[in-house]
């Protein structure tokens, strides 16, 4: 190895799935030096039980105290892989105060406290990098923040959670129920012990908040994202959707419309020919649309230790290079334009509905009248007799969510409507 | 606009399709400043006929002399959009000598003289950026050189030419002949006046040389890339391929195998389920495979003024930021490991063949014997009688190209073989 190269020391917080893979990649110092032009060494690693020793980490580098890593003069760059809000937030803020760049894969921290970190980074001239927080080894953050800086991005549409995509793929391909598909995901190791973070869309919402903030230059937090999970999707919805030419995916959607931001995570019908309809199993993908650019789609394995570690080390190399060159640090400007988050009620979309109605003459007309009176126009309607009850599958034209809610409330009051079993939004653009 | 921001002046060489779009994007100085943290102004523009004036470019900025742009003390960053080798090469080298970063979209220059530019850049501490040279607005170079720096990339497989992909898509979807599909591409404005650069794979080969160099850290020039065009593909090949479960695409393939590099551009059968099989019309895409990462696929509109300009301005912003921060410049190390380019004869692949043979008993056996004697094993064989001649469609197992060439030579000598109408390589991995 070329010892004349500039040298940067890394302090690592956390040695879990991603952390130990980051440590493993950094061990190949010669490879990293050859590719980056910088010698990068792992100087300190904070773990919960330093006494245990870790294969591949010099015992002298281990400590039980993350603050020691952050404040050590021997650490130039801090890599936060603890996860959660505290103490990760305080540690990152302190590192930035000390002028040390922070690399993190902590989506929750970014999605909830991103602006605080960026503001602190801007003051000290350090840098916050977070490619690993979204999309594993797919360079989503880099594409939005760097490659497409010159483009006016008006839409991002993603499949950002591998667990739910795996579940929906099994339901679509095997005809399984949600519960059976979730059990399969568990067997394959694609779920957390408590899968609700994935299933209810929290994970995707945090990732969308991060990407939408970067794409539209404003503050979007997890709490700003409208969120609906996939537990209510049935195999019958899957089958009808396919009949109509659609797949059902858990989409994370960010749109800039008339200066306002739409940010929502929910199951949606998308045309089978749409590139995102073809993203199967645990894969993730993001479609970015910008003026003059045409759709750009990035896809890959969105999670897991090794892909995320590749993203984290890519960020480490970037900040190490920058630091090694002298000059002051650079906090990428994270624009914070004052944009309103558009409430879900004001969002205009087509809807797919599945109703169970009494199977007798005139029912159809009564249902259609409700839609007409609420000015929600129907694009297609199919009635299937299933004995005593008939099933009505119906897709509307574009309609404001608030109008569809009124339609639903009125339908539920009709004695001929037994149940409204499904209401799923439709993303109709290909 | 925040006039306290650091300020960088850009000199532009060439104001064609891409150049005028770059100038248009740079005119929105407030937007660029807000996103980049740097004020970027267009100081000088070299065009062939400066007297004519150009809308949106201040007349004082226009000059007929590109050297004036490069050497002007008022130009910090040089953007080369002239194309071709000379004078682009000399101008870029001079700019680098002067310590000025160069941004270019010139694939030919990069593919043939990349190492010379990088070597010069390394000496002066300037930087060469070339995202616009490959894949329009899809951040392919950035993904390989930056996002995946930490990954060991072992394979890149791309559809890197929009014209040929449009032609092959029309042949596949409409059943058109090559000539008719090419005429349609011409009507749609997807071809150059002379389409041979696209059709014969030169364009894709130059792009592959650039990407393979970056991915494998070695010198790969256009001339190192094995190249075969699409003019011989017939609608019948398209139909048989589909019957066998394959699409036919013009693939650009770079592989690292036992320390050697495969670099080839040729039509190939790929399984219909492969993500690249679904890239239609004029779209481009690249699949990157690296240890531990799983396939990452990036796709989008691979050419055209506006997408390419977004890539170029993204690069301008990067080098401007870097320059604005002080410290010395940074020439990304373009590793030049001494890797052998594997000759096409040594490459091992399955092959698809289409033979016209005399339709009588025993012919099949004679054909099969030739394969057996050359130790090329047959995976599937279908014979279709078409009157006096029978058509034999045959897919081999993996076989060295040199063996398949021997088989072909021997088949052509058999009196029962009328013609070998198609020989197409197969990329069988999904």
């Amino acid at each position: 190895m070329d010892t004349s190269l500039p040298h940067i020391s890394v302090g690592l917080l956390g040695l879990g799935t991603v952390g130990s893979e980051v440590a493993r990649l950094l061990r190949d110092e010669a490879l990293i030096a050859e590719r980056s032009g910088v010698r990068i060494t792992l100087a300190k690693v904070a773990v919960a039980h330093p006494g245990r020793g870790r294969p591949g980490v010099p015992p002298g580098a281990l400590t039980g105290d993350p603050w020691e890593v952050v404040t050590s003069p021997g650490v130039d760059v801090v890599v936060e892989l603890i996860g959660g809000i505290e103490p990760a937030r305080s540690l990152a803020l302190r590192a930035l105060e000390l002028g040390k760049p922070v690399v993190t894969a902590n989506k929750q921290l970014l999605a909830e406290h991103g602006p605080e970190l960026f503001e602190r980074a801007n003051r000290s001239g350090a840098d916050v990098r977070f490619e690993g927080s979204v999309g594993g080894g797919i360079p989503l953050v880099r594409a939005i923040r760097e490659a497409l800086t010159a483009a006016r991005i008006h839409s991002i549409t993603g499949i950002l959670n591998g667990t739910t995509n795996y579940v929906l793929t099994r339901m679509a391909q095997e005809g399984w129920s949600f519960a059976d598909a979730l059990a399969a995901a568990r067997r394959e190791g694609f779920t957390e012990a408590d899968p609700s973070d994935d299933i209810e869309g929290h994970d995707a919402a945090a990732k969308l908040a991060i990407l939408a903030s970067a794409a539209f230059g404003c503050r979007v937090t997890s709490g700003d994202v409208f969120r609906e999970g996939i537990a209510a999707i049935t195999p019958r919805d899957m089958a009808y959707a396919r009949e109509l030419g659609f797949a059902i995916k858990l989409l994370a959607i960010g749109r800039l419309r008339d200066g306002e931001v739409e940010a929502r995570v929910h199951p949606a019908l998308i045309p089978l020919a749409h590139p995102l309809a073809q993203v199967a199993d645990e894969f993730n993908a993001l479609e970015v649309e910008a003026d003059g650019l045409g759709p750009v789609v990035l896809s890959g394995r969105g999670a897991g230790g090794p892909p995320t570690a590749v993203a984290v080390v890519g960020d480490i190399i970037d900040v190490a290079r920058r630091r090694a060159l002298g000059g002051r640090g650079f906090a990428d400007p994270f624009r914070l334009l004052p944009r309103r988050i558009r409430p879900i009620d004001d969002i205009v979309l087509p809807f797919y509905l599945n109703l169970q109605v009494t199977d007798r003459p005139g029912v159809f007309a009564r249902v259609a009248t409700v839609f007409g009176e609420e000015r929600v126009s129907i694009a297609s309607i199919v009635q299937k007799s299933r004995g005593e009850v008939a099933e009505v599958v119906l897709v509307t034209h574009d309609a404001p969510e608030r109008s569809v809610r009124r339609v639903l409330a009125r339908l539920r009051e009709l004695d001929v409507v037994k149940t409204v079993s499904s209401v799923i939004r439709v993303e109709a653009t290909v």
Side-chain angles (χ1 to χ4, degrees), chain A:
Chain A
M1 192 179 352
D2 181 355
T3 52
S4 71
L5 291 175
H7 175 240
I8 294 292
S9 295
V10 169
L12 187 57
L13 307 176
L15 204 62
T17 321
V18 177
S20 47
E21 189 62 24
V22 167
R24 196 184 68 76
L25 288 174
L26 291 180
R27 270 208 295 286
D28 199 344
E29 286 182 33
L31 179 79
I32 302 261
E34 175 197 285
R35 296 200 181 175
S36 67
V38 181
R39 278 201 310 137
I40 299 175
T41 53
L42 190 55
K44 285 204 172 290
V45 182
V47 293
H49 305 284
R52 282 187 204 158
R54 306 296 158 120
V57 179
L62 286 172
T63 170
D65 179 11
W67 292 97
E68 187 192 328
V69 173
V70 168
T71 57
S72 164
V75 166
D76 303 311
V77 171
V78 172
V79 179
E80 185 278 304
L81 299 171
I82 305 176
I85 301 296
E86 285 296 348
R89 172 178 156 275
S90 301
L91 288 161
L93 288 171
R94 183 81 183 105
L96 292 171
E97 257 168 30
L98 294 169
K100 299 184 182 186
V102 169
V103 173
T104 176
N106 188 330
K107 61 175 179 284
Q108 201 190 345
L109 180 60
L110 260 294
E112 292 177 26
H113 298 276
E116 186 183 16
L117 295 176
F118 294 112
E119 188 271 331
R120 190 71 55 100
N122 271 317
R123 260 196 276 154
S124 69
D127 195 3
V128 183
R129 301 292 300 245
F130 49 95
E131 185 65 73
S133 66
V134 189
I138 323 168
L140 301 180
V141 174
R142 208 178 278 263
I144 290 176
R145 292 183 87 197
E146 300 177 24
L148 306 178
T149 338
R152 288 185 189 267
I153 298 174
H154 52 76
S155 165
I156 56 177
T157 311
I159 293 175
L160 299 179
N161 179 270
T163 305
T164 46
N165 202 45
Y166 181 88
V167 167
L168 292 174
T169 302
R170 292 284 78 72
M171 292 177 69
Q173 293 182 355
E174 266 78 48
W176 293 349
S177 69
F178 168 74
D180 289 347
L182 182 59
R186 187 169 283 140
R187 281 195 303 277
E188 296 288 331
F190 290 139
T191 55
E192 306 289 326
D194 172 7
S196 61
D197 190 51
D198 293 319
I199 295 307
E200 292 169 12
H202 294 282
D203 174 78
K207 292 167 176 170
L208 178 64
I210 295 169
L211 295 179
S213 298
F216 309 132
C218 59
R219 183 186 169 119
V220 181
T221 67
S222 309
D224 292 325
V225 178
F226 171 82
R227 194 180 40 71
E228 190 178 291
I230 63 163
I233 304 293
T234 67
R236 185 168 293 141
D237 293 326
M238 284 285 179
Y240 285 133
R242 174 164 291 268
E243 229 178 283
L244 295 162
F246 291 92
I248 299 178
K249 294 289 187 185
L250 182 67
L251 295 187
I253 296 165
R255 296 273 153 79
L256 193 58
R257 291 233 166 112
D258 313 317
E260 294 187 348
V261 171
E262 290 182 15
R264 47 197 167 93
V265 168
H266 54 69
L269 276 73
I270 46 169
L272 289 168
H274 191 287
L276 295 179
Q278 291 151 15
V279 175
D281 301 325
E282 77 279 17
F283 279 73
N284 284 21
L286 184 75
E287 182 187 52
V288 181
E289 291 178 282
D291 292 351
L293 199 68
V296 172
V297 180
L298 298 94
S299 72
R301 201 153 270 146
T308 306
V310 164
V312 169
V313 176
D315 279 352
I316 294 173
I317 288 173
D318 269 9
V319 298
R321 276 181 179 172
R322 199 170 272 182
R323 204 146 188 94
L325 292 173
R328 64 190 172 81
F330 192 85
D332 293 276
F334 208 78
R335 292 169 302 146
L336 290 174
L337 304 178
R339 296 197 193 278
R340 178 170 179 258
I341 307 289
R342 185 173 286 192
I344 191 75
D345 270 359
D346 293 347
I347 287 173
V348 175
L349 278 179
F351 282 77
Y352 156 100
L353 289 88
N354 186 325
L355 320 177
Q356 280 68 46
V357 300
T358 312
D359 195 3
R360 58 179 160 84
V363 169
F364 220 85
R366 287 184 65 191
V367 166
T369 301
V370 171
F371 280 83
E373 286 174 3
E374 295 297 344
R375 311 188 69 78
V376 173
S377 112
I378 296 172
S380 72
I381 182 161
V382 179
Q383 179 161 343
K384 309 208 170 192
S385 193
R386 303 178 56 223
E388 303 250 309
V389 291
E391 188 161 49
V392 175
V393 174
L394 184 152
V395 179
T396 73
H397 283 296
D398 269 348
E401 174 122 358
R402 71 170 78 251
S403 305
V404 174
R405 285 183 203 256
R406 276 199 302 265
V407 167
L408 291 172
R410 289 185 54 185
L411 288 179
R412 289 192 172 109
E413 281 169 12
L414 292 183
D415 56 354
V416 296
V417 174
K418 300 294 177 198
T419 47
V420 179
S421 62
S422 304
V423 181
I424 310 177
R425 293 168 191 83
V426 180
E427 290 292 322
T429 51
V430 181

